[in-house]
Amino acid sequence: MKAPIEPFKIKVIEPVRLLSQEERTRAIKEAGYNTFLLKSEDVYIDLLTDSGTSAMSDNQWAGMMLGDEAYAGSRNFYNLEKAVQEVLGYKYVVPTHQGRGAEHLISKILINKERNIVPRNMYFTTSKTHVELLGGTMPDVIIDEAHDPENEHPFKGNIDLEKLERLIKEVGPEKIAFVSVEMNVNMAGGQPVSMENLRKVRELCNYYKLKVIFDATRSSENAYFIKEREKGYENKSIIEILHEMMSYSDGCVYSAKKDGLVNIGGFLATNDEEIYEQAQNLVVVYEGLHTYGGLAGRDMEAMARGLREGADERYLEYRIKQVRYLGEMLLKNNIPIVKPIGGHAVYLNALKFLPHLKREEWPAQALAAAIYEFSGVRTMERGAVSKGRDRKTGQNIFPPLELVRLAIPRRVYTNTQMEYVAESIINLYSQRFSIKGLRMVYEPKELRFFRARFEKIE
Ligand code: P61
């Protein structure tokens, strides 16, 4: 596969520097073998996350200068509202400082003591934590294929409708707070959901009178996959596809730090007047006034413009193909990655990369640390450390997927940098048996992966 041609040119650059091998060895040890604890300046190519790491366009930067910083009724809020209406098709918008702010609001609105079960296609760390902090649970109802890194199902993010219905009947629909559907499922490897699946989830939930809330954070990338892979959508525009997708929900939470192409920002959007009314009540308590939600006016302007740019088809084609370019270089060299290649990231299968390590030695954490030490490339563990402990039994959970995520920031790295990353991983693979396991020596109570510390098992 050839590298995709960028639909932009570079106007501003940010220098990066590769530390020496000795400096990297010292840096990762000091960071407790946790890539979240590295200093950004010690990183050569940063694939920790695609969240808040996009390069903004000249159009977005120009918008920043048009920030209306009035406490109430900022014109940038109305521009944001209009952009959400036009790109996603929702009527009402409540801005939040980022995605988890919106997760907090929707969880408080829809979860109570009686209704506290939130089925979802797999889980996301912050989404699950908000549900659990309110005494609820987030059972996984994704299709089985999603748990198998080798399975090439084109819509591996789909909800298993039988699993969902079985669960509804088992616990009773009155116990379900809402059904949560994530676009381009992050923890499954950036895997899309099909339009057909969204439609059927809606039908099932209508039957049982359940609300459907999307995590639409990566919905534009999901829409691109629908256009590419689902029959009947090849000639539709991304905006048309997005509107149809969102029409199957009662609302969404959205972290604009991904497909929204901004460094900070998010929102809750809905067509449901009751949800909107309650979200406006809560946002003033937890985020800020309902017309700024914890953001500066300039941030809302950048977000309004970013939302439109992120749904541009030429941009999306380049974006998805750059991720694929990296993935295919790895596949060609037999590196075990999650297939098909996802939308925002390439995921290494740490259980296959490091077959000599036990699950208790945290293979994905060890691999992420080794990649940094070997190449200066920063990645992220997405396996048992991220999954955490069972809140009832206190035991570690070892999910079938033990992955290292190479998330690609949007419009940031060149294809040559992707080649450096691929070569580094390929070289490291040939020396993989020298990589040692880790022992966790500090474990925070919530979302432990962010600050946990480890030592090498020598
Ligand atoms: C990421 F290690 N994602 O992928 P906020 N929903 C979804 C997300 O991907 C997401 C949020 C909601 C991040 C940042 C991050 O365990 C972690 O704007 C599908 O970050 O609040 C965020 O949106 C939350 C990294 C978050 C993590 C949690 O890198």
Side-chain angles (χ1 to χ4, degrees):
M1 181 189 174
K2 279 210 313 216
I5 295 180
E6 295 81 358
F8 52 81
K9 56 186 177 176
I10 296 168
K11 178 148 43 189
V12 179
I13 59 103
E14 187 181 348
V16 292
R17 136 188 112 102
L18 178 60
L19 296 186
S20 70
Q21 175 71 70
E22 272 168 21
E23 288 170 318
R24 297 196 302 269
T25 299
R26 194 175 331 119
I28 193 68
K29 188 171 180 200
E30 278 174 16
Y33 297 95
N34 183 345
T35 53
F36 279 106
L37 300 178
L38 285 167
K39 291 190 178 128
S40 152
E41 287 192 334
D42 293 344
V43 172
Y44 187 39
I45 295 180
D46 203 349
L47 308 187
L48 181 72
T49 176
D50 63 321
S51 179
T53 52
S54 301
M56 293 210 295
S57 65
D58 51 0
N59 174 50
Q60 285 175 290
W61 280 108
M64 298 281 283
M65 292 305 290
L66 300 174
D68 170 2
E69 306 306 343
Y71 189 84
S74 161
R75 74 167 160 259
N76 312 114
F77 166 73
Y78 297 105
N79 290 346
L80 172 65
E81 195 181 50
K82 192 150 176 270
V84 174
Q85 288 164 350
E86 285 175 16
V87 175
L88 300 176
Y90 293 109
K91 196 163 160 198
Y92 304 121
V93 184
V94 177
T96 56
H97 75 284
Q98 57 184 80
R100 69 198 73 179
E103 292 174 345
H104 183 204
L105 300 183
I106 201 69
S107 302
K108 285 238 171 206
I109 294 167
L110 294 178
I111 298 175
N112 57 44
K113 269 208 182 113
E114 286 73 43
R115 293 179 93 97
N116 59 17
I117 299 176
V118 182
R120 177 160 168 141
N121 43 353
M122 210 165 258
Y123 78 104
F124 190 68
T125 53
T126 51
S127 329
K128 175 164 153 276
T129 302
H130 278 295
V131 172
E132 289 178 352
L133 287 174
L134 290 166
T137 54
M138 182 169 269
D140 177 11
V141 289
I142 204 166
I143 56 172
D144 285 342
E145 287 87 338
H147 293 284
D148 173 7
E150 303 290 326
N151 192 298
E152 304 225 27
H153 192 295
F155 290 103
K156 245 172 144 174
N158 280 356
I159 291 221
D160 183 326
L161 295 151
E162 275 175 29
K163 268 190 210 167
L164 177 58
E165 186 159 25
R166 208 177 317 130
L167 177 80
I168 297 170
K169 284 186 177 154
E170 225 171 81
V171 300
E174 68 286 355
K175 288 276 188 321
I176 309 272
F178 61 97
V179 174
S180 170
V181 189
E182 183 184 333
M183 309 289 117
N184 247 30
V185 184
N186 197 350
M187 301 302 279
Q191 304 295 332
V193 185
S194 71
M195 192 72 89
E196 186 193 7
N197 193 249
L198 294 177
R199 199 178 303 127
K200 291 199 168 148
V201 168
R202 177 77 270 175
E203 282 165 14
L204 189 68
C205 290
N206 280 349
Y207 181 77
Y208 288 102
K209 300 196 169 48
L210 297 176
K211 294 225 186 287
V212 180
I213 302 293
F214 287 172
D215 183 331
T217 294
R218 296 185 179 83
S219 49
S220 299
E221 290 172 358
N222 198 117
Y224 184 84
F225 281 122
I226 288 178
K227 184 170 169 103
E228 198 181 46
R229 296 180 184 166
E230 194 163 349
K231 222 170 149 249
Y233 290 91
E234 48 281 73
N235 296 320
K236 296 222 188 262
S237 74
I238 295 293
I239 300 284
E240 281 172 321
I241 295 173
L242 280 170
H243 278 227
E244 184 180 341
M245 287 163 72
M246 301 310 147
S247 75
Y248 300 128
S249 74
D250 295 287
C252 81
V253 293
Y254 196 100
S255 166
K257 299 172 72 171
K258 289 80 170 170
D259 284 3
L261 297 171
V262 285
N263 305 120
I264 195 74
F267 54 83
L268 186 157
T270 182
N271 291 324
D272 181 315
E273 277 177 29
E274 214 172 298
I275 291 178
Y276 182 49
E277 174 60 23
Q278 291 195 50
Q280 286 181 297
N281 283 331
L282 288 175
V283 76
V284 293
V285 178
Y286 295 110
E287 304 273 320
L289 199 73
H290 59 287
T291 54
Y292 78 82
L295 294 164
R298 56 180 174 272
D299 293 328
M300 289 190 285
E301 188 59 38
M303 184 154 61
R305 294 175 186 219
L307 265 180
R308 295 181 199 279
E309 291 178 19
D312 176 86
E313 193 172 330
R314 272 180 63 228
Y315 152 75
L316 278 170
E317 180 182 355
Y318 142 79
R319 159 69 179 161
I320 300 288
K321 290 194 174 163
Q322 186 181 45
V323 176
R324 209 171 279 166
Y325 180 57
L326 172 62
E328 289 192 352
M329 286 187 279
L330 295 175
L331 274 181
K332 224 194 277 158
N333 288 276
N334 301 318
I335 307 296
I337 66 169
V338 173
K339 289 188 267 189
I341 296 161
H344 66 298
V346 175
Y347 292 70
L348 304 175
N349 179 356
L351 297 180
K352 272 205 157 172
F353 204 112
L354 301 178
H356 55 291
L357 297 190
K358 296 199 273 289
R359 293 298 300 257
E360 293 77 11
E361 295 175 328
W362 314 108
Q365 188 79 29
L367 181 54
I371 291 170
Y372 172 77
E373 193 172 351
F374 188 75
S375 65
V377 174
R378 171 154 73 169
T379 60
M380 186 195 289
E381 188 269 2
R382 291 279 83 162
V385 180
S386 295
K387 181 82 181 181
R389 291 177 185 271
D390 183 310
R391 280 187 196 252
K392 281 211 184 100
T393 65
Q395 295 300 307
N396 278 311
I397 306 169
F398 293 103
L401 297 181
E402 175 78 4
L403 309 176
V404 170
R405 184 181 74 169
L406 285 69
I408 315 300
R410 295 168 181 78
R411 308 191 292 206
V412 170
Y413 289 115
T414 62
N415 294 321
T416 322
Q417 284 164 318
M418 293 299 104
E419 286 161 17
Y420 172 83
V421 172
E423 275 166 29
S424 303
I425 305 277
I426 292 161
N427 287 337
L428 181 64
Y429 190 66
S430 65
Q431 309 166 34
R432 63 193 188 279
F433 292 108
S434 66
I435 298 174
K436 303 221 164 69
L438 298 174
R439 181 185 313 116
M440 200 188 294
V441 293
Y442 169 64
E443 180 178 353
K445 186 155 177 286
E446 298 295 344
L447 298 167
R448 64 180 181 182
F449 51 90
F450 283 132
R451 295 184 301 114
R453 299 187 70 86
F454 300 81
E455 280 171 6
K456 247 187 209 177
I457 302 173
E458 294 293 350

